[in-house]
Every structure is written in structure tokens, then in C-alpha cells.
């Protein structure tokens, strides 16, 4: 018997048309029989299928696509292990609040719950890490379920994040009644932007103009608010810290940028303004032990970014760009109470530290083993990268070096879930979204190993990514923690494997670099022959800031040892 056929009105065809009309250009996917009807209809609609080697990577790539385009990232994975493989990617998108749609299939309804191949209840598995998770069993419900899932993913009326839909394969082959294909369900539409309440704007203006040492910290929700935020920072003589969620939103040349003085400014500010940013572990949960007596003003378009850990004395539930502009428009003509000398002093110290870091990176000493310091790699990359490069940083120890050592106007990293291994998939997607730009993946060797097979995807898809692996043959943060805490290293050493040889096996331009003086030439050749990989051997003896902070041994109250001690003292005194 020939396989069942499906036509232009099938649910699979409707799914493909929906995605096409919603502006989806690429779907990141790994094939399988339960999703083959969608697969073939995507191709018929001219949507590019970026076929990957692991479903987890497909979701990572859709995640990067969503962040870089501001649209919907889509991953297509098959049933059973296809969905379970994808779950780490879904969890990362959940924590990062990335608008990702994951689609999958199921055995035919007549075989449901009978032990069919790859028969498992996916929705029970993913419901806690998605904004919406449904099985669609009737073809006529497909258009409205797609529209609802897309709205939930993009944060219409709630927090954005991943959504999940699956369909029995017989549903995918069945026709959707034309009457149920309502045009309004297919139309792309802008996500509604919530304006701020006038009372909240007045309260925010009052708090800001009374503050002597205002500090702004931006996050995911601040994307698109750059111009208004920059103007407000200037108007207030305010200090500014970005995070990985919003790096590049404010240029490094802005006089309020004081990133190198992070610890000092967090302890000195009297008003902390979070813009689309949670007070998570990276910000000490907003604890008075770290932020002192500072008041908080919180601005966000979803309530979860207003209420976590510290409630603001003023909260503005609104689109951050609209809220910041409304504050500017309502600002009094008089000068704010802020102390210009405070932020100017922090800025001067920031520049001094930044210059010292840049110079120190070039001359960072080799380890006792004769291998180069990771900062030598980053210094060479700084010299070679154009200003508009997209930087993806990945790993534990090397991420800590790259986070401070590599400037970037567009930046992606594992995020607050600490989901190392995203680097190569993020880089592949970024280079497909922005083929005109240099996309650099700066990754440790441990993190690279999670999704190293996606270099095959990069070659096949002609994704012009540059991957630089800092190869120190270890899980370096954990090695240091074991040495210092337990006096013994167990299961945290890797090989100094030849990743370049692996990459060449997949047809990628690749070189192994063991001497700092060879870096400039190797980087130039790799930039000219992307996709490319440089396997750079570095010393495992170099200690990153994260390796020294206590992050690895997981203190009880705060993520960092110094913050944990401060928290204990604060609690004991209260």
C-alpha cells in the first residue's frame, strides 16, 4: 500500500502557510516520519529547512533566530526522543523568555496509547517549561491553535517564551475546512505595546529626580528601548550596567557606562532602576546585603520582571521604550538631584580598568606548562573583529574571560540557566540571519563538545560562522574548585583533543594554533574562509573571575562567596 497522500488543504499545508504569512523564513529541524507532512509542505512554501544533527540544537537555533530578528523562531522535531532531546533547548528558551514555537508529531489517533512507535504524551513533559502546550487532534482546530500559540510565544497579554504544539500524523494529512481558515488567524500583527499609566510616570519622575546616585540595569525587556534609555541616562547623569540579556543596547562610549565598576556601583547607588530585568542570581537577588539601602524603581512589560525578590517603591508595568520616553516627556525643566561627580568618577575608573585590561590581555603570561593564556586569544580577536560583529560566548571558564574581554554590539551567551553548549547552534543561526556580518563563537572546549556535530550543519548550510575553541583540556572551574575545596581532581579533565582535525573531517576550514604569535594569521585566514574553526590550545592554569568567585561550590545564600558572606552578615544584623 502506498503512503497516504495529503494536499494543499491539509493541516500540514495550513501549518506551512501560517508560518510563511507570519514571516518565518527558516525552520530549524530534524526529520522523522511523524513530522514528514509538515517538512514537505514547508519546502513547498519556500521556507528554508535548516536540518540539524540534534533536536536540542534545533531549538537553540530557533532561540537565536528569535532574539536576533525580533520575530518568531521555529523548531520542528519528531515524536518521542525528538521531543525529549529538544527539552533542554525549550527549558533554556523558557528561562530566557525567548519567543520560540516548537512543533512535533504523534502516531495516528487510531494507534494512540497502544504502544505505537515513539508514542508518548509530550505535553505532560513540556507544560512546565512552555507558555502553551497542546495536542491538536482535529484538523479544523489547527489555524486557531497556531494563532494562539504564536500570540502566547510573543507575549501578547503575558510573558513571552516557548510554546509547543503537536499533531497526530493522520491529523496532519487530513484537510482543514476552508471556512475554518479565517484570514485573521494567518495575518502577522505587531505585539500590542502597553503604555504606562500617568500616575506611575509621575511617581517614577519624582523618584528619579530626587535620586543622588541613580543606577540603571537593563535586561531582555529593554530591547528596543535603547534611544530613550540613552537619553534618560544623559539627562540624569545616571550610571548604567548592562547584562548579557541586553549587551550592546547602550554603546560603550556612553558616559554612564561603568561596567568595570560593577561591584562598587551596586553598593553605592541610592536608586536602582531595573528595565526589563529580573533580579536573579546575577544581581544578588536585589539583596540589601549587596545594594545597601538603595530604593528600587522597576520598569517592565510583564509582571514577573516587576515582582521577583524586591518590589520597587515605584513599579511601571508598560512597554519599557514607551515608559522611558514618557518619563523623559514628563521630566521637569530643572536639574535632577543626581551628583555628576559620582558617575564621572566611576566612569573614569571604568575607563582606567578597561584600558588596563586591554593592555594586560595582550601581555598575559603563559602558564607554567608553556601554553598561552586565554586572554591572548581574546586580544587577537579584539584586533580582528569589526565593530558590528555578532559575538556568541559559550562555556564556563572561557565565558568568564570572554564576557569582559570581547566588546560586542550584538551579543548572545548561555543566559541565566547556564545552558552551556549553545554556542555553535547560536552561531550557525546568527550567521544565517546575518550572513553579511562576522559571527564569532568564542567557546571553551567543554562547551563546544555538547553540540560539536553542528559544525556539519554549518558546512552543509554554508553558514559563515567563525568558531574559536579555547582548548584547555578540562572543565577548568570545576578542576579549581576540586583542588581548593576537596584536594583531589575527579572526572573533570578532558583531552587536549584536536578539534581542528574533526572540523576538517566535515569539510570546514580549520587550524590548530598553539603559539600566540600565530594567532593573527590564523584568524585572518579563518575570517576569509568561513565557516571556519580555530582550535587554540590554552593553559588550564589561568583562573577566570568566575573560578575565583566561589560560583562552582554553590554557596547557600548567594551565588558568589563575597556576596554570600555579606548576606550572612546582613541577616545576622537584622
Amino acid at each position: 500500500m502506498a503512503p497516504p497522500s495529503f494536499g494543499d488543504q491539509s493541516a500540514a499545508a495550513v501549518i506551512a502557510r501560517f508560518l510563511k504569512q507570519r514571516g518565518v523564513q527558516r525552520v530549524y529541524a530534524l526529520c522523522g516520519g511523524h513530522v514528514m507532512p509538515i517538512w514537505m509542505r514547508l519546502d513547498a512554501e519556500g521556507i528554508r529547512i535548516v536540518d540539524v544533527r540534534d533536536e536540542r540544537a534545533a531549538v537553540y537555533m530557533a532561540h537565536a533566530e528569535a532574539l536576533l530578528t525580533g520575530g518568531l523562531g521555529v523548531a520542528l522535531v519528531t515524536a518521542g526522543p525528538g521531543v525529549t532531546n529538544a527539552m533542554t533547548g525549550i527549558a533554556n528558551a523558557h528561562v530566557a523568555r525567548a519567543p520560540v514555537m516548537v512543533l512535533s508529531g504523534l502516531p495516528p489517533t487510531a494507534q494512540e496509547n497502544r504502544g505505537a512507535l515513539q508514542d508518548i504524551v509530550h505535553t505532560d513533559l513540556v507544560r512546565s517549561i512552555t507558555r502553551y502546550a497542546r495536542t491538536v487532534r482535529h484538523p479544523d482546530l489547527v489555524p486557531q491553535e497556531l494563532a494562539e500559540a504564536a500570540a502566547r510565544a510573543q507575549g501578547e497579554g503575558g510573558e513571552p517564551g516557548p510554546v509547543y504544539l503537536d499533531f497526530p500524523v493522520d491529523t496532519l494529512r487530513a484537510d482543514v475546512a476552508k471556512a475554518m481558515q479565517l484570514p485573521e488567524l494567518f495575518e502577522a500583527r505587531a505585539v500590542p505595546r502597553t503604555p504606562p499609566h500617568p500616575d506611575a510616570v509621575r511617581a517614577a519622575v519624582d523618584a528619579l529626580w530626587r535620586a543622588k546616585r541613580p543606577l540603571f540595569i537593563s535586561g531582555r525587556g529593554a530591547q528596543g528601548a535603547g534611544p530613550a534609555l540613552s537619553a534618560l541616562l544623559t539627562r540624569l547623569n545616571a550610571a548604567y550596567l548592562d547584562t548579557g540579556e541586553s549587551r550592546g543596547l547602550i554603546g560603550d562610549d556612553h558616559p554612564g557606562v561603568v561596567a568595570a565598576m560593577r561591584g562598587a556601583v551596586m553598593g553605592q547607588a541610592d536608586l536602582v532602576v531595573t528595565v526589563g530585568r529580573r533580579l536573579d542570581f546575577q544581581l544578588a537577588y536585589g539583596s540589601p546585603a549587596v545594594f545597601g539601602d538603595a530604593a528600587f524603581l522597576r520598569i517592565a512589560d510583564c509582571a514577573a520582571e516587576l515582582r521577583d525578590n524586591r518590589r520597587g517603591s515605584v513599579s511601571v508595568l508598560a512597554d519599557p521604550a514607551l515608559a522611558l520616553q514618557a518619563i523623559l516627556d514628563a521630566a521637569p525643566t530643572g536639574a535632577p538631584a543626581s551628583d555628576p561627580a559620582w558617575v564621572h568618577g566611576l566612569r573614569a575608573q571604568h575607563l582606567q580598568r578597561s584600558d588596563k585590561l586591554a593592555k594586560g590581555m595582550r601581555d598575559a603570561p603563559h602558564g607554567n606548562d608553556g601554553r598561552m593564556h586565554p586572554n591572548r586569544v581574546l586580544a587577537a580577536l579584539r584586533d580582528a573583529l569589526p565593530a558590528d560583529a555578532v559575538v556568541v560566548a559559550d562555556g564556563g571558564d572561557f565565558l568568564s574571560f570572554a564576557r569582559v574581554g570581547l566588546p560586542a554590539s550584538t551579543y548572545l551567551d548561555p543566559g541565566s540557566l547556564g545552558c552551556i553548549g549553545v554556542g555553535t547552534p547560536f552561531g550557525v543561526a546568527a550567521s544565517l540571519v546575518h550572513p553579511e556580518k562576522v559571527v564569532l563563537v568564542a567557546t571553551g572546549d567543554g562547551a563546544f563538545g555538547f553540540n560539536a556535530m553542528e559544525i556539519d550543519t554549518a558546512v552543509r548550510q554554508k553558514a559563515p560562522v567563525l568558531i574559536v575553541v579555547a582548548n584547555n583540556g578540562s572543565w577548568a572551574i570545576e578542576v579549581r574548585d576540586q583542588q581548593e575545596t576537596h584536594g583531589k581532581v575527579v572526572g573533570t579533565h578532558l583531552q587536549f583533543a584536536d578539534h581542528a582535525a574533526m572540523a576538517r573531517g566535515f569539510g570546514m576550514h580549520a587550524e590548530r594554533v598553539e603559539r600566540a604569535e600565530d594567532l593573527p594569521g590564523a584568524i585572518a585566514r579563518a575570517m576569509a574562509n568561513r565557516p571556519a574553526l580555530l582550535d587554540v590550545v590554552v593553559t588550564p592554569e589561568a583562573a577566570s573571575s568566575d573560578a575565583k568567585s566561589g560560583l562552582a561550590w554553590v554557596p547557600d545564600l548567594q551565588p558568589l562567596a563575597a556576596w554570600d558572606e555579606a548576606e550572612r552578615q546582613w541577616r545576622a544584623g537584622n
Side-chain angles (χ1 to χ4, degrees):
M1 176 181 172
S5 61
F6 53 95
D8 291 345
Q9 301 306 315
S10 65
V14 168
I15 292 168
R17 283 200 296 275
F18 175 90
L19 296 178
K20 183 72 173 288
Q21 289 189 233
R22 289 299 181 104
V24 174
Q25 299 181 42
R26 286 166 291 272
V27 170
Y28 301 93
L30 205 160
C31 61
H34 294 108
V35 295
M36 197 60 73
I38 302 175
W39 190 284
M40 301 311 295
R41 292 309 308 188
L42 291 172
D43 179 70
E45 288 292 336
I47 295 175
R48 180 176 180 178
I49 296 174
V50 180
D51 54 308
V52 303
R53 299 299 300 268
D54 185 278
E55 289 89 356
R56 170 180 50 181
V59 184
Y60 290 156
M61 292 182 191
H63 180 157
E65 170 102 15
L67 295 184
L68 293 169
T69 64
L72 188 66
V74 181
L76 175 64
V77 303
T78 199
V83 174
T84 58
N85 285 347
M87 284 183 65
T88 300
I90 298 172
N92 196 43
H94 163 67
V95 173
R97 306 179 294 288
V100 171
M101 178 181 285
V102 180
L103 302 176
S104 187
L106 287 166
T109 50
Q111 300 180 43
E112 185 175 354
N113 202 31
R114 299 189 67 195
L117 175 67
Q118 298 180 338
D119 186 12
I120 190 170
V121 182
H122 305 135
T123 51
D124 285 354
L125 298 176
V126 303
R127 186 163 284 115
S128 68
I129 51 173
T130 55
R131 304 297 179 267
Y132 192 69
R134 291 294 300 272
T135 293
V136 187
R137 291 182 172 85
H138 197 287
D140 285 353
L141 297 177
V142 168
Q144 72 179 56
E145 290 287 6
L146 287 167
E148 180 64 18
R152 299 283 190 100
Q154 294 176 306
E156 287 191 32
E159 190 175 40
V163 296
Y164 174 86
L165 294 176
D166 60 21
F167 314 83
V169 71
D170 56 320
T171 299
L172 292 174
R173 296 174 183 140
D175 283 354
V176 178
K178 288 188 177 181
M180 298 299 290
Q181 298 180 41
L182 299 170
E184 66 265 24
L185 297 176
F186 290 77
E187 293 171 358
R189 58 188 66 200
V191 178
R193 301 173 66 193
T194 304
H197 193 282
D199 291 346
V201 172
R202 284 191 290 270
V205 169
D206 182 60
L208 287 166
W209 258 254
R210 284 189 290 107
K212 293 182 178 178
R213 297 180 302 279
L215 166 64
F216 284 71
I217 305 175
S218 63
R220 175 211 62 84
Q223 296 293 346
L229 177 57
S230 179
L232 191 55
L233 290 170
T234 301
R235 182 78 172 82
L236 288 166
N237 291 308
Y240 172 72
L241 293 177
D242 66 7
T243 61
E245 294 183 353
S246 59
R247 190 166 168 189
L249 185 69
I250 301 296
D252 290 341
D253 57 348
H254 193 285
V257 171
V258 294
M261 300 300 297
R262 178 186 180 91
V265 73
M266 287 169 63
Q268 294 173 13
D270 65 351
L271 178 66
V272 177
V273 186
T274 62
V275 184
R277 185 63 166 85
R278 286 182 170 173
L279 288 167
D280 60 14
F281 78 95
Q282 298 173 84
L283 294 172
Y285 312 117
S287 172
V290 174
F291 285 94
D293 295 330
F296 282 78
L297 190 169
R298 308 203 64 181
I299 302 170
D301 59 0
C302 66
E305 291 170 354
L306 294 179
R307 295 197 299 260
D308 67 309
N309 293 310
R310 293 291 300 273
R311 299 296 290 262
S313 56
V314 179
S315 296
V316 184
L317 180 60
D319 176 90
L322 295 180
L324 294 173
Q325 188 58 54
I327 290 169
L328 280 166
D329 293 342
T333 55
S338 58
D339 178 8
W342 174 68
V343 73
H344 293 164
L346 286 168
R347 175 67 176 175
Q349 293 176 77
H350 160 81
L351 293 174
Q352 184 179 30
R353 285 192 178 183
S354 298
D355 290 344
K356 183 179 179 181
L357 172 66
K359 292 173 183 175
M361 288 171 62
R362 298 180 188 279
D363 302 321
H366 291 352
N368 293 323
D369 55 9
R371 298 184 176 102
M372 77 177 86
H373 194 288
N375 275 338
R376 300 288 285 270
V377 184
L378 298 173
L381 289 168
R382 283 172 69 118
D383 290 341
L385 288 176
D388 67 346
V390 178
V391 173
V392 181
D394 191 15
D397 201 56
F398 190 57
L399 171 63
S400 180
F401 287 112
R403 185 173 59 235
V404 297
L406 280 179
S409 58
T410 304
Y411 174 85
L412 302 175
D413 70 13
S416 57
L417 187 62
C419 194
I420 67 172
V422 301
T424 299
F426 273 16
V428 169
S431 63
L432 294 174
V433 172
H434 290 300
E436 77 287 359
K437 295 184 178 182
V438 172
V439 175
L440 167 70
V441 175
T443 179
D445 55 335
F448 175 67
F450 280 93
N451 287 287
M453 283 295 290
E454 299 307 327
I455 62 176
D456 172 63
T457 304
V459 172
R460 288 184 294 102
Q461 298 291 335
K462 297 181 172 58
V465 63
L466 169 60
I467 302 168
V468 177
V469 182
N471 186 350
N472 65 10
S474 68
W475 300 99
I477 290 179
E478 286 72 22
V479 167
R480 177 170 290 271
D481 175 52
Q482 289 180 341
Q483 289 171 332
E484 295 180 355
T485 307
H486 306 283
K488 183 180 181 181
V489 177
V490 182
T492 51
H493 279 140
L494 301 171
Q495 300 181 62
F496 283 93
D498 192 340
H499 303 297
M502 174 187 174
R504 285 193 294 270
F506 285 103
M508 179 178 278
H509 173 89
E511 299 181 37
R512 187 174 175 92
V513 185
E514 300 189 40
R515 302 188 308 166
E517 55 266 34
D518 295 334
L519 279 168
I523 292 170
R525 289 187 293 275
M527 296 265 279
N529 291 281
R530 290 172 286 147
L533 181 145
L534 296 179
D535 180 25
V536 187
V537 178
V538 299
T539 180
E541 297 173 13
S544 69
S545 59
D546 283 355
K548 300 173 186 176
S549 69
L551 191 67
W553 58 264
V554 194
D556 288 339
L557 302 178
Q558 285 281 354
L560 307 182
W563 289 356
D564 190 69
E565 180 58 29
E567 183 78 19
R568 291 177 187 279
Q569 293 179 12
W570 174 73
R571 293 190 184 191
N574 286 274

Short mmCIF file of all heavy atoms in Angstrom, two decimals, residues 6 105-106 216 219 269 307 341 365 419 468 507 560:
data_model
loop_
_atom_site.label_atom_id
_atom_site.label_comp_id
_atom_site.label_asym_id
_atom_site.label_seq_id
_atom_site.Cartn_x
_atom_site.Cartn_y
_atom_site.Cartn_z
N PHE A 6 -1.46 13.73 0.95
CA PHE A 6 -2.04 14.92 1.58
C PHE A 6 -1.84 16.08 0.63
O PHE A 6 -0.85 16.16 -0.11
CB PHE A 6 -1.41 15.19 2.95
CG PHE A 6 0.10 15.25 2.94
CD1 PHE A 6 0.76 16.46 2.82
CD2 PHE A 6 0.84 14.08 3.03
CE1 PHE A 6 2.13 16.51 2.81
CE2 PHE A 6 2.23 14.14 3.03
CZ PHE A 6 2.88 15.35 2.92
N GLY A 105 5.07 15.87 16.06
CA GLY A 105 4.00 14.98 15.62
C GLY A 105 3.74 13.87 16.62
O GLY A 105 4.44 13.73 17.63
N LEU A 106 2.73 13.07 16.33
CA LEU A 106 2.34 11.94 17.15
C LEU A 106 1.92 10.78 16.25
O LEU A 106 1.60 11.00 15.07
CB LEU A 106 1.16 12.31 18.04
CG LEU A 106 1.41 13.24 19.24
CD1 LEU A 106 0.09 13.75 19.78
CD2 LEU A 106 2.18 12.50 20.32
N PHE A 216 20.93 52.45 36.46
CA PHE A 216 20.03 51.71 35.59
C PHE A 216 20.66 50.37 35.23
O PHE A 216 21.86 50.31 34.91
CB PHE A 216 19.75 52.49 34.30
CG PHE A 216 18.78 53.63 34.46
CD1 PHE A 216 19.14 54.78 35.15
CD2 PHE A 216 17.51 53.57 33.91
CE1 PHE A 216 18.26 55.84 35.29
CE2 PHE A 216 16.62 54.62 34.03
CZ PHE A 216 17.00 55.76 34.73
N GLY A 219 17.76 44.60 30.88
CA GLY A 219 17.67 43.17 30.60
C GLY A 219 16.92 42.90 29.33
O GLY A 219 16.77 43.78 28.46
N ALA A 269 24.79 52.98 44.76
CA ALA A 269 23.58 53.61 44.22
C ALA A 269 22.53 53.79 45.31
O ALA A 269 22.39 52.96 46.21
CB ALA A 269 23.02 52.76 43.09
N ARG A 307 8.15 41.92 40.07
CA ARG A 307 7.84 41.45 41.42
C ARG A 307 8.87 40.51 42.01
O ARG A 307 8.80 40.19 43.19
CB ARG A 307 6.48 40.76 41.43
CG ARG A 307 5.31 41.66 41.11
CD ARG A 307 4.01 41.01 41.54
NE ARG A 307 3.77 39.76 40.87
CZ ARG A 307 2.94 39.61 39.84
NH1 ARG A 307 2.30 40.66 39.36
NH2 ARG A 307 2.75 38.44 39.29
N ALA A 341 29.50 64.28 39.82
CA ALA A 341 30.85 63.85 40.18
C ALA A 341 30.89 62.35 40.48
O ALA A 341 31.91 61.69 40.23
CB ALA A 341 31.33 64.64 41.39
N PRO A 365 50.65 36.39 30.76
CA PRO A 365 51.74 35.40 30.75
C PRO A 365 51.25 33.99 30.47
O PRO A 365 50.13 33.62 30.82
CB PRO A 365 52.31 35.51 32.17
CG PRO A 365 51.15 36.00 33.00
CD PRO A 365 50.37 36.92 32.11
N CYS A 419 23.15 27.44 30.42
CA CYS A 419 22.98 26.33 29.49
C CYS A 419 24.15 26.28 28.50
O CYS A 419 24.02 26.64 27.32
CB CYS A 419 21.65 26.49 28.75
SG CYS A 419 21.12 25.03 27.88
N VAL A 468 35.86 29.72 17.50
CA VAL A 468 37.18 29.68 18.13
C VAL A 468 37.04 28.92 19.44
O VAL A 468 36.33 29.35 20.36
CB VAL A 468 37.72 31.10 18.38
CG1 VAL A 468 39.06 31.04 19.11
CG2 VAL A 468 37.88 31.85 17.05
N GLY A 507 34.76 18.98 6.29
CA GLY A 507 34.92 19.89 5.17
C GLY A 507 35.01 21.34 5.56
O GLY A 507 34.86 22.23 4.70
N LEU A 560 27.81 33.97 44.82
CA LEU A 560 29.23 34.27 44.94
C LEU A 560 29.65 34.28 46.40
O LEU A 560 28.87 34.69 47.28
CB LEU A 560 29.55 35.62 44.30
CG LEU A 560 29.08 35.83 42.86
CD1 LEU A 560 29.52 37.19 42.35
CD2 LEU A 560 29.58 34.72 41.95
#
